[in-house]
Amino acid sequence: MSLKKASIIIIFILLIDQISKIYIKTHFAINDSITVFSWFKIDFIENDGMAWGTKLSDFFDFISDKTAKLTLTLFRIVAVTAIGFWLVDVIKKQKSKILIFAISIIFAGALGNILDSVFYGILFSDSHMQVATFLPDEGGYAGVFYGNVVDMLHFPIWSGVLPEWLPFIGGKYFSFFDPVFNVADVAISTGIGILIVFNKKAFKEEIKTDKSDLELRNNPI
């Protein structure tokens, strides 16, 4: 796969991700919800931490929420830069299309969430109890690097009380699937899933090289 095709994939995902986020941000207030189907809802929330709203300050008491937010944003920037270099490298070396595709959508997803973290704080007004304004005259709700990631996709596929015969969790209320996420998260999860499920196809050249090296070590000339 060429760099041009990978770029098209990245731009396509970024457009869908950012258009959906901007629409939600400018049409919904925090916690506004629309039921599309019984198993699919649009629930607007903002995430200022990692997955499921987890923050570094939740683990380290000496870190303030503001410092934790800045650290997370900077880490994301470093991570997406590393993924970008990896993508360029595998394209130059003409690795498998599966590997290039997977890295491309992971990169697009990571970049999509970085745009929220870096710029949304200065581009939008606050969404609590109101619909946000794009480029508000009074300024945004936070500074550069302190924006929140916009999430809206919710799939409450099933909820209910689990059967009593199940060990440990029997008789307890359970809901699947509770996390609210966005298009960027879907891209990242899909890319990682592809690398896990199609590991041998994605890294076939590396596997062949490792086998060849092992054979040479075991059978020296």
Side-chain angles (χ1 to χ4, degrees):
M1 184 183 292
S2 65
L3 180 59
K4 181 179 179 180
K5 290 182 179 179
S7 298
I8 292 174
I9 293 171
I10 292 168
I11 292 171
F12 178 72
I13 293 174
L14 276 176
L15 283 174
I16 296 176
D17 178 63
Q18 290 301 306
I19 289 173
S20 63
K21 288 174 177 175
I22 292 172
Y23 179 84
I24 292 296
K25 188 72 177 169
T26 55
H27 289 78
F28 289 68
I30 292 275
N31 295 324
D32 279 355
S33 177
I34 291 178
T35 300
V36 181
F37 302 106
S38 60
W39 48 267
F40 172 48
K41 296 181 179 179
I42 301 296
D43 287 335
F44 174 33
I45 66 169
E46 287 187 327
N47 185 354
D48 63 348
M50 298 177 283
W52 296 288
T54 306
K55 304 175 185 177
L56 289 176
S57 51
D58 294 336
F59 302 99
F60 305 101
D61 294 335
F62 60 88
I63 298 179
S64 67
D65 286 348
K66 190 172 183 179
T67 300
K69 175 61 181 175
L70 178 61
T71 302
L72 177 60
T73 300
L74 294 177
F75 172 77
R76 282 173 168 163
I77 293 174
V78 172
V80 80
T81 301
I83 295 171
F85 278 116
W86 185 25
L87 176 61
V88 172
D89 182 62
V90 296
I91 291 174
K92 284 182 177 179
K93 294 178 179 178
Q94 285 298 294
K95 299 294 184 178
S96 68
K97 291 181 179 180
I98 292 178
L99 178 61
I100 296 174
F101 176 76
I103 299 174
S104 296
I105 62 177
I106 291 172
F107 177 81
L111 184 57
N113 282 337
I114 283 178
L115 292 177
D116 297 27
S117 297
V118 175
F119 299 113
Y120 274 32
I122 60 173
L123 292 178
F124 297 98
S125 60
D126 188 51
S127 293
H128 288 87
M129 305 298 291
Q130 64 180 1
V131 175
T133 301
F134 181 65
L135 296 177
D137 295 334
E138 66 276 11
Y141 66 86
V144 179
F145 299 123
Y146 292 97
N148 297 327
V149 175
V150 174
D151 293 327
M152 79 293 289
L153 304 177
H154 185 201
F155 290 86
I157 297 174
W158 183 88
S159 63
V161 178
L162 295 172
E164 293 287 350
W165 54 264
L166 287 173
F168 305 112
I169 58 175
K172 296 181 179 179
Y173 178 83
F174 178 77
S175 178
F176 180 86
F177 180 74
D178 279 339
V180 181
F181 49 95
N182 56 46
V183 174
D185 296 331
V186 174
I188 294 171
S189 300
T190 302
I192 293 174
I194 289 173
L195 293 181
I196 294 173
V197 176
F198 300 101
N199 182 273
K200 291 184 178 180
K201 290 184 178 180
F203 298 99
K204 58 183 178 181
E205 293 183 11
E206 285 81 355
I207 293 173
K208 287 181 180 179
T209 301
D210 291 342
K211 287 183 177 179
S212 298
D213 292 342
L214 181 61
E215 289 176 357
L216 285 174
R217 286 196 295 270
N218 292 335
N219 301 288
I221 298 176

PDB file of all heavy atoms in Angstrom, residues 43-74:
ATOM      1  N   ASP A  43     -25.149   9.616  23.157  1.00  0.00           N
ATOM      2  CA  ASP A  43     -25.016  10.197  24.492  1.00  0.00           C
ATOM      3  C   ASP A  43     -23.780  11.086  24.514  1.00  0.00           C
ATOM      4  O   ASP A  43     -22.652  10.591  24.382  1.00  0.00           O
ATOM      5  CB  ASP A  43     -24.862   9.106  25.558  1.00  0.00           C
ATOM      6  CG  ASP A  43     -26.162   8.374  25.827  1.00  0.00           C
ATOM      7  OD1 ASP A  43     -27.225   8.961  25.591  1.00  0.00           O
ATOM      8  OD2 ASP A  43     -26.106   7.202  26.259  1.00  0.00           O
ATOM      9  N   PHE A  44     -23.972  12.384  24.670  1.00  0.00           N
ATOM     10  CA  PHE A  44     -22.841  13.306  24.649  1.00  0.00           C
ATOM     11  C   PHE A  44     -22.192  13.420  26.021  1.00  0.00           C
ATOM     12  O   PHE A  44     -22.808  13.869  26.982  1.00  0.00           O
ATOM     13  CB  PHE A  44     -23.301  14.685  24.161  1.00  0.00           C
ATOM     14  CG  PHE A  44     -22.237  15.746  24.229  1.00  0.00           C
ATOM     15  CD1 PHE A  44     -20.896  15.433  24.028  1.00  0.00           C
ATOM     16  CD2 PHE A  44     -22.572  17.068  24.485  1.00  0.00           C
ATOM     17  CE1 PHE A  44     -19.915  16.409  24.090  1.00  0.00           C
ATOM     18  CE2 PHE A  44     -21.604  18.057  24.544  1.00  0.00           C
ATOM     19  CZ  PHE A  44     -20.268  17.727  24.354  1.00  0.00           C
ATOM     20  N   ILE A  45     -20.943  13.002  26.081  1.00  0.00           N
ATOM     21  CA  ILE A  45     -20.133  13.215  27.281  1.00  0.00           C
ATOM     22  C   ILE A  45     -18.765  13.729  26.843  1.00  0.00           C
ATOM     23  O   ILE A  45     -18.402  13.644  25.660  1.00  0.00           O
ATOM     24  CB  ILE A  45     -19.951  11.927  28.117  1.00  0.00           C
ATOM     25  CG1 ILE A  45     -19.114  10.893  27.338  1.00  0.00           C
ATOM     26  CG2 ILE A  45     -21.282  11.339  28.528  1.00  0.00           C
ATOM     27  CD1 ILE A  45     -18.673   9.726  28.188  1.00  0.00           C
ATOM     28  N   GLU A  46     -18.021  14.276  27.777  1.00  0.00           N
ATOM     29  CA  GLU A  46     -16.646  14.705  27.496  1.00  0.00           C
ATOM     30  C   GLU A  46     -15.698  13.978  28.436  1.00  0.00           C
ATOM     31  O   GLU A  46     -15.976  13.834  29.626  1.00  0.00           O
ATOM     32  CB  GLU A  46     -16.506  16.218  27.663  1.00  0.00           C
ATOM     33  CG  GLU A  46     -17.167  16.995  26.544  1.00  0.00           C
ATOM     34  CD  GLU A  46     -16.891  18.487  26.619  1.00  0.00           C
ATOM     35  OE1 GLU A  46     -16.758  19.011  27.744  1.00  0.00           O
ATOM     36  OE2 GLU A  46     -16.807  19.117  25.563  1.00  0.00           O
ATOM     37  N   ASN A  47     -14.596  13.540  27.879  1.00  0.00           N
ATOM     38  CA  ASN A  47     -13.621  12.756  28.631  1.00  0.00           C
ATOM     39  C   ASN A  47     -12.328  13.557  28.756  1.00  0.00           C
ATOM     40  O   ASN A  47     -11.689  13.863  27.750  1.00  0.00           O
ATOM     41  CB  ASN A  47     -13.363  11.432  27.897  1.00  0.00           C
ATOM     42  CG  ASN A  47     -12.455  10.499  28.672  1.00  0.00           C
ATOM     43  OD1 ASN A  47     -11.909  10.861  29.718  1.00  0.00           O
ATOM     44  ND2 ASN A  47     -12.262   9.301  28.159  1.00  0.00           N
ATOM     45  N   ASP A  48     -11.960  13.906  29.979  1.00  0.00           N
ATOM     46  CA  ASP A  48     -10.711  14.654  30.172  1.00  0.00           C
ATOM     47  C   ASP A  48      -9.579  13.754  30.639  1.00  0.00           C
ATOM     48  O   ASP A  48      -8.513  14.222  31.039  1.00  0.00           O
ATOM     49  CB  ASP A  48     -10.915  15.801  31.170  1.00  0.00           C
ATOM     50  CG  ASP A  48     -11.293  15.309  32.560  1.00  0.00           C
ATOM     51  OD1 ASP A  48     -11.618  14.119  32.691  1.00  0.00           O
ATOM     52  OD2 ASP A  48     -11.273  16.120  33.505  1.00  0.00           O
ATOM     53  N   GLY A  49      -9.815  12.435  30.567  1.00  0.00           N
ATOM     54  CA  GLY A  49      -8.782  11.498  30.985  1.00  0.00           C
ATOM     55  C   GLY A  49      -8.479  10.480  29.912  1.00  0.00           C
ATOM     56  O   GLY A  49      -8.526  10.761  28.714  1.00  0.00           O
ATOM     57  N   MET A  50      -8.175   9.274  30.362  1.00  0.00           N
ATOM     58  CA  MET A  50      -7.864   8.181  29.446  1.00  0.00           C
ATOM     59  C   MET A  50      -9.144   7.390  29.199  1.00  0.00           C
ATOM     60  O   MET A  50     -10.230   7.933  29.252  1.00  0.00           O
ATOM     61  CB  MET A  50      -6.753   7.303  30.055  1.00  0.00           C
ATOM     62  CG  MET A  50      -5.442   8.041  30.271  1.00  0.00           C
ATOM     63  SD  MET A  50      -4.154   7.046  31.066  1.00  0.00           S
ATOM     64  CE  MET A  50      -4.698   7.065  32.774  1.00  0.00           C
ATOM     65  N   ALA A  51      -9.005   6.101  28.938  1.00  0.00           N
ATOM     66  CA  ALA A  51     -10.172   5.258  28.702  1.00  0.00           C
ATOM     67  C   ALA A  51     -11.077   5.257  29.928  1.00  0.00           C
ATOM     68  O   ALA A  51     -10.607   5.167  31.060  1.00  0.00           O
ATOM     69  CB  ALA A  51      -9.725   3.836  28.368  1.00  0.00           C
ATOM     70  N   TRP A  52     -12.411   5.363  29.678  1.00  0.00           N
ATOM     71  CA  TRP A  52     -13.414   5.373  30.734  1.00  0.00           C
ATOM     72  C   TRP A  52     -13.194   6.502  31.750  1.00  0.00           C
ATOM     73  O   TRP A  52     -13.580   6.407  32.907  1.00  0.00           O
ATOM     74  CB  TRP A  52     -13.465   4.022  31.446  1.00  0.00           C
ATOM     75  CG  TRP A  52     -13.905   2.936  30.534  1.00  0.00           C
ATOM     76  CD1 TRP A  52     -15.154   2.725  30.032  1.00  0.00           C
ATOM     77  CD2 TRP A  52     -13.084   1.904  29.968  1.00  0.00           C
ATOM     78  NE1 TRP A  52     -15.171   1.641  29.194  1.00  0.00           N
ATOM     79  CE2 TRP A  52     -13.909   1.110  29.132  1.00  0.00           C
ATOM     80  CE3 TRP A  52     -11.734   1.585  30.086  1.00  0.00           C
ATOM     81  CZ2 TRP A  52     -13.439   0.021  28.429  1.00  0.00           C
ATOM     82  CZ3 TRP A  52     -11.255   0.503  29.368  1.00  0.00           C
ATOM     83  CH2 TRP A  52     -12.109  -0.274  28.566  1.00  0.00           C
ATOM     84  N   GLY A  53     -12.546   7.582  31.301  1.00  0.00           N
ATOM     85  CA  GLY A  53     -12.370   8.753  32.155  1.00  0.00           C
ATOM     86  C   GLY A  53     -11.291   8.613  33.214  1.00  0.00           C
ATOM     87  O   GLY A  53     -11.171   9.463  34.101  1.00  0.00           O
ATOM     88  N   THR A  54     -10.485   7.569  33.137  1.00  0.00           N
ATOM     89  CA  THR A  54      -9.419   7.367  34.117  1.00  0.00           C
ATOM     90  C   THR A  54      -8.358   8.453  33.978  1.00  0.00           C
ATOM     91  O   THR A  54      -7.966   8.826  32.882  1.00  0.00           O
ATOM     92  CB  THR A  54      -8.755   5.993  33.918  1.00  0.00           C
ATOM     93  OG1 THR A  54      -9.763   4.980  33.952  1.00  0.00           O
ATOM     94  CG2 THR A  54      -7.746   5.728  35.023  1.00  0.00           C
ATOM     95  N   LYS A  55      -7.889   8.974  35.117  1.00  0.00           N
ATOM     96  CA  LYS A  55      -6.880  10.027  35.120  1.00  0.00           C
ATOM     97  C   LYS A  55      -5.633   9.562  35.865  1.00  0.00           C
ATOM     98  O   LYS A  55      -5.703   8.702  36.747  1.00  0.00           O
ATOM     99  CB  LYS A  55      -7.422  11.289  35.799  1.00  0.00           C
ATOM    100  CG  LYS A  55      -8.710  11.831  35.210  1.00  0.00           C
ATOM    101  CD  LYS A  55      -9.195  13.005  36.041  1.00  0.00           C
ATOM    102  CE  LYS A  55     -10.543  13.502  35.578  1.00  0.00           C
ATOM    103  NZ  LYS A  55     -11.052  14.609  36.431  1.00  0.00           N
ATOM    104  N   LEU A  56      -4.493  10.171  35.515  1.00  0.00           N
ATOM    105  CA  LEU A  56      -3.263   9.869  36.243  1.00  0.00           C
ATOM    106  C   LEU A  56      -3.405  10.267  37.699  1.00  0.00           C
ATOM    107  O   LEU A  56      -2.858   9.618  38.596  1.00  0.00           O
ATOM    108  CB  LEU A  56      -2.079  10.620  35.610  1.00  0.00           C
ATOM    109  CG  LEU A  56      -1.601  10.126  34.240  1.00  0.00           C
ATOM    110  CD1 LEU A  56      -0.502  11.046  33.721  1.00  0.00           C
ATOM    111  CD2 LEU A  56      -1.083   8.692  34.338  1.00  0.00           C
ATOM    112  N   SER A  57      -4.161  11.349  37.944  1.00  0.00           N
ATOM    113  CA  SER A  57      -4.337  11.820  39.313  1.00  0.00           C
ATOM    114  C   SER A  57      -5.150  10.843  40.153  1.00  0.00           C
ATOM    115  O   SER A  57      -5.160  10.928  41.387  1.00  0.00           O
ATOM    116  CB  SER A  57      -5.017  13.195  39.311  1.00  0.00           C
ATOM    117  OG  SER A  57      -6.194  13.188  38.526  1.00  0.00           O
ATOM    118  N   ASP A  58      -5.835   9.904  39.495  1.00  0.00           N
ATOM    119  CA  ASP A  58      -6.564   8.877  40.246  1.00  0.00           C
ATOM    120  C   ASP A  58      -5.606   7.878  40.882  1.00  0.00           C
ATOM    121  O   ASP A  58      -5.934   7.238  41.887  1.00  0.00           O
ATOM    122  CB  ASP A  58      -7.526   8.115  39.323  1.00  0.00           C
ATOM    123  CG  ASP A  58      -8.651   8.996  38.796  1.00  0.00           C
ATOM    124  OD1 ASP A  58      -8.963  10.002  39.456  1.00  0.00           O
ATOM    125  OD2 ASP A  58      -9.204   8.681  37.723  1.00  0.00           O
ATOM    126  N   PHE A  59      -4.410   7.758  40.289  1.00  0.00           N
ATOM    127  CA  PHE A  59      -3.417   6.799  40.786  1.00  0.00           C
ATOM    128  C   PHE A  59      -2.335   7.469  41.624  1.00  0.00           C
ATOM    129  O   PHE A  59      -1.744   6.841  42.489  1.00  0.00           O
ATOM    130  CB  PHE A  59      -2.760   6.074  39.609  1.00  0.00           C
ATOM    131  CG  PHE A  59      -3.726   5.332  38.728  1.00  0.00           C
ATOM    132  CD1 PHE A  59      -4.175   5.884  37.541  1.00  0.00           C
ATOM    133  CD2 PHE A  59      -4.190   4.082  39.094  1.00  0.00           C
ATOM    134  CE1 PHE A  59      -5.070   5.197  36.719  1.00  0.00           C
ATOM    135  CE2 PHE A  59      -5.086   3.387  38.291  1.00  0.00           C
ATOM    136  CZ  PHE A  59      -5.531   3.954  37.105  1.00  0.00           C
ATOM    137  N   PHE A  60      -2.065   8.740  41.325  1.00  0.00           N
ATOM    138  CA  PHE A  60      -0.997   9.454  42.032  1.00  0.00           C
ATOM    139  C   PHE A  60      -1.590  10.707  42.687  1.00  0.00           C
ATOM    140  O   PHE A  60      -1.905  11.684  42.004  1.00  0.00           O
ATOM    141  CB  PHE A  60       0.128   9.839  41.067  1.00  0.00           C
ATOM    142  CG  PHE A  60       0.687   8.672  40.302  1.00  0.00           C
ATOM    143  CD1 PHE A  60       0.310   8.443  38.980  1.00  0.00           C
ATOM    144  CD2 PHE A  60       1.580   7.789  40.900  1.00  0.00           C
ATOM    145  CE1 PHE A  60       0.825   7.371  38.272  1.00  0.00           C
ATOM    146  CE2 PHE A  60       2.099   6.715  40.196  1.00  0.00           C
ATOM    147  CZ  PHE A  60       1.715   6.497  38.889  1.00  0.00           C
ATOM    148  N   ASP A  61      -1.692  10.685  44.003  1.00  0.00           N
ATOM    149  CA  ASP A  61      -2.320  11.777  44.745  1.00  0.00           C
ATOM    150  C   ASP A  61      -1.554  13.092  44.612  1.00  0.00           C
ATOM    151  O   ASP A  61      -2.143  14.175  44.741  1.00  0.00           O
ATOM    152  CB  ASP A  61      -2.433  11.413  46.232  1.00  0.00           C
ATOM    153  CG  ASP A  61      -3.392  10.249  46.460  1.00  0.00           C
ATOM    154  OD1 ASP A  61      -4.285  10.060  45.612  1.00  0.00           O
ATOM    155  OD2 ASP A  61      -3.246   9.549  47.481  1.00  0.00           O
ATOM    156  N   PHE A  62      -0.244  13.009  44.363  1.00  0.00           N
ATOM    157  CA  PHE A  62       0.565  14.221  44.310  1.00  0.00           C
ATOM    158  C   PHE A  62       0.436  14.955  42.974  1.00  0.00           C
ATOM    159  O   PHE A  62       0.969  16.058  42.811  1.00  0.00           O
ATOM    160  CB  PHE A  62       2.047  13.888  44.582  1.00  0.00           C
ATOM    161  CG  PHE A  62       2.643  12.914  43.591  1.00  0.00           C
ATOM    162  CD1 PHE A  62       3.212  13.351  42.408  1.00  0.00           C
ATOM    163  CD2 PHE A  62       2.615  11.547  43.862  1.00  0.00           C
ATOM    164  CE1 PHE A  62       3.759  12.453  41.508  1.00  0.00           C
ATOM    165  CE2 PHE A  62       3.157  10.638  42.958  1.00  0.00           C
ATOM    166  CZ  PHE A  62       3.728  11.092  41.785  1.00  0.00           C
ATOM    167  N   ILE A  63      -0.283  14.360  42.013  1.00  0.00           N
ATOM    168  CA  ILE A  63      -0.469  14.993  40.703  1.00  0.00           C
ATOM    169  C   ILE A  63      -1.842  15.653  40.653  1.00  0.00           C
ATOM    170  O   ILE A  63      -2.860  15.008  40.920  1.00  0.00           O
ATOM    171  CB  ILE A  63      -0.349  13.962  39.560  1.00  0.00           C
ATOM    172  CG1 ILE A  63       1.047  13.332  39.551  1.00  0.00           C
ATOM    173  CG2 ILE A  63      -0.627  14.614  38.210  1.00  0.00           C
ATOM    174  CD1 ILE A  63       1.229  12.289  38.464  1.00  0.00           C
ATOM    175  N   SER A  64      -1.873  16.918  40.307  1.00  0.00           N
ATOM    176  CA  SER A  64      -3.147  17.631  40.185  1.00  0.00           C
ATOM    177  C   SER A  64      -3.846  17.218  38.895  1.00  0.00           C
ATOM    178  O   SER A  64      -3.214  16.696  37.968  1.00  0.00           O
ATOM    179  CB  SER A  64      -2.913  19.143  40.180  1.00  0.00           C
ATOM    180  OG  SER A  64      -2.211  19.535  39.004  1.00  0.00           O
ATOM    181  N   ASP A  65      -5.147  17.463  38.837  1.00  0.00           N
ATOM    182  CA  ASP A  65      -5.907  17.126  37.627  1.00  0.00           C
ATOM    183  C   ASP A  65      -5.360  17.870  36.410  1.00  0.00           C
ATOM    184  O   ASP A  65      -5.315  17.332  35.301  1.00  0.00           O
ATOM    185  CB  ASP A  65      -7.391  17.473  37.815  1.00  0.00           C
ATOM    186  CG  ASP A  65      -8.099  16.488  38.739  1.00  0.00           C
ATOM    187  OD1 ASP A  65      -7.503  15.431  39.042  1.00  0.00           O
ATOM    188  OD2 ASP A  65      -9.232  16.776  39.157  1.00  0.00           O
ATOM    189  N   LYS A  66      -4.959  19.114  36.603  1.00  0.00           N
ATOM    190  CA  LYS A  66      -4.440  19.926  35.501  1.00  0.00           C
ATOM    191  C   LYS A  66      -3.123  19.366  34.983  1.00  0.00           C
ATOM    192  O   LYS A  66      -2.914  19.254  33.764  1.00  0.00           O
ATOM    193  CB  LYS A  66      -4.247  21.376  35.956  1.00  0.00           C
ATOM    194  CG  LYS A  66      -3.952  22.335  34.808  1.00  0.00           C
ATOM    195  CD  LYS A  66      -3.965  23.777  35.297  1.00  0.00           C
ATOM    196  CE  LYS A  66      -3.734  24.733  34.109  1.00  0.00           C
ATOM    197  NZ  LYS A  66      -3.761  26.154  34.536  1.00  0.00           N
ATOM    198  N   THR A  67      -2.244  18.996  35.904  1.00  0.00           N
ATOM    199  CA  THR A  67      -0.961  18.411  35.505  1.00  0.00           C
ATOM    200  C   THR A  67      -1.174  17.062  34.824  1.00  0.00           C
ATOM    201  O   THR A  67      -0.509  16.740  33.842  1.00  0.00           O
ATOM    202  CB  THR A  67      -0.051  18.235  36.738  1.00  0.00           C
ATOM    203  OG1 THR A  67       0.179  19.500  37.343  1.00  0.00           O
ATOM    204  CG2 THR A  67       1.285  17.613  36.343  1.00  0.00           C
ATOM    205  N   ALA A  68      -2.110  16.284  35.362  1.00  0.00           N
ATOM    206  CA  ALA A  68      -2.415  14.977  34.774  1.00  0.00           C
ATOM    207  C   ALA A  68      -2.939  15.132  33.353  1.00  0.00           C
ATOM    208  O   ALA A  68      -2.570  14.366  32.452  1.00  0.00           O
ATOM    209  CB  ALA A  68      -3.445  14.252  35.639  1.00  0.00           C
ATOM    210  N   LYS A  69      -3.779  16.134  33.128  1.00  0.00           N
ATOM    211  CA  LYS A  69      -4.334  16.383  31.805  1.00  0.00           C
ATOM    212  C   LYS A  69      -3.241  16.776  30.827  1.00  0.00           C
ATOM    213  O   LYS A  69      -3.180  16.266  29.697  1.00  0.00           O
ATOM    214  CB  LYS A  69      -5.391  17.489  31.883  1.00  0.00           C
ATOM    215  CG  LYS A  69      -5.962  17.917  30.538  1.00  0.00           C
ATOM    216  CD  LYS A  69      -6.649  16.767  29.822  1.00  0.00           C
ATOM    217  CE  LYS A  69      -7.188  17.192  28.478  1.00  0.00           C
ATOM    218  NZ  LYS A  69      -7.749  16.060  27.717  1.00  0.00           N
ATOM    219  N   LEU A  70      -2.360  17.676  31.218  1.00  0.00           N
ATOM    220  CA  LEU A  70      -1.261  18.108  30.354  1.00  0.00           C
ATOM    221  C   LEU A  70      -0.331  16.957  30.039  1.00  0.00           C
ATOM    222  O   LEU A  70       0.088  16.768  28.892  1.00  0.00           O
ATOM    223  CB  LEU A  70      -0.485  19.242  31.027  1.00  0.00           C
ATOM    224  CG  LEU A  70       0.733  19.763  30.249  1.00  0.00           C
ATOM    225  CD1 LEU A  70       0.309  20.320  28.891  1.00  0.00           C
ATOM    226  CD2 LEU A  70       1.462  20.837  31.065  1.00  0.00           C
ATOM    227  N   THR A  71      -0.015  16.150  31.051  1.00  0.00           N
ATOM    228  CA  THR A  71       0.865  14.994  30.858  1.00  0.00           C
ATOM    229  C   THR A  71       0.267  14.016  29.868  1.00  0.00           C
ATOM    230  O   THR A  71       0.959  13.498  28.984  1.00  0.00           O
ATOM    231  CB  THR A  71       1.113  14.282  32.205  1.00  0.00           C
ATOM    232  OG1 THR A  71       1.687  15.200  33.131  1.00  0.00           O
ATOM    233  CG2 THR A  71       2.053  13.094  32.020  1.00  0.00           C
ATOM    234  N   LEU A  72      -1.034  13.760  30.003  1.00  0.00           N
ATOM    235  CA  LEU A  72      -1.710  12.834  29.098  1.00  0.00           C
ATOM    236  C   LEU A  72      -1.691  13.355  27.665  1.00  0.00           C
ATOM    237  O   LEU A  72      -1.432  12.598  26.729  1.00  0.00           O
ATOM    238  CB  LEU A  72      -3.154  12.621  29.556  1.00  0.00           C
ATOM    239  CG  LEU A  72      -4.030  11.732  28.659  1.00  0.00           C
ATOM    240  CD1 LEU A  72      -3.446  10.332  28.543  1.00  0.00           C
ATOM    241  CD2 LEU A  72      -5.462  11.679  29.200  1.00  0.00           C
ATOM    242  N   THR A  73      -1.967  14.652  27.478  1.00  0.00           N
ATOM    243  CA  THR A  73      -1.971  15.231  26.136  1.00  0.00           C
ATOM    244  C   THR A  73      -0.590  15.147  25.499  1.00  0.00           C
ATOM    245  O   THR A  73      -0.449  14.773  24.324  1.00  0.00           O
ATOM    246  CB  THR A  73      -2.430  16.699  26.182  1.00  0.00           C
ATOM    247  OG1 THR A  73      -3.750  16.766  26.716  1.00  0.00           O
ATOM    248  CG2 THR A  73      -2.438  17.305  24.782  1.00  0.00           C
ATOM    249  N   LEU A  74       0.444  15.482  26.267  1.00  0.00           N
ATOM    250  CA  LEU A  74       1.812  15.418  25.737  1.00  0.00           C
ATOM    251  C   LEU A  74       2.205  13.982  25.406  1.00  0.00           C
ATOM    252  O   LEU A  74       2.872  13.726  24.392  1.00  0.00           O
ATOM    253  CB  LEU A  74       2.790  16.022  26.755  1.00  0.00           C
ATOM    254  CG  LEU A  74       2.634  17.525  27.011  1.00  0.00           C
ATOM    255  CD1 LEU A  74       3.605  17.980  28.093  1.00  0.00           C
ATOM    256  CD2 LEU A  74       2.855  18.322  25.726  1.00  0.00           C
TER     257      LEU A  74
END
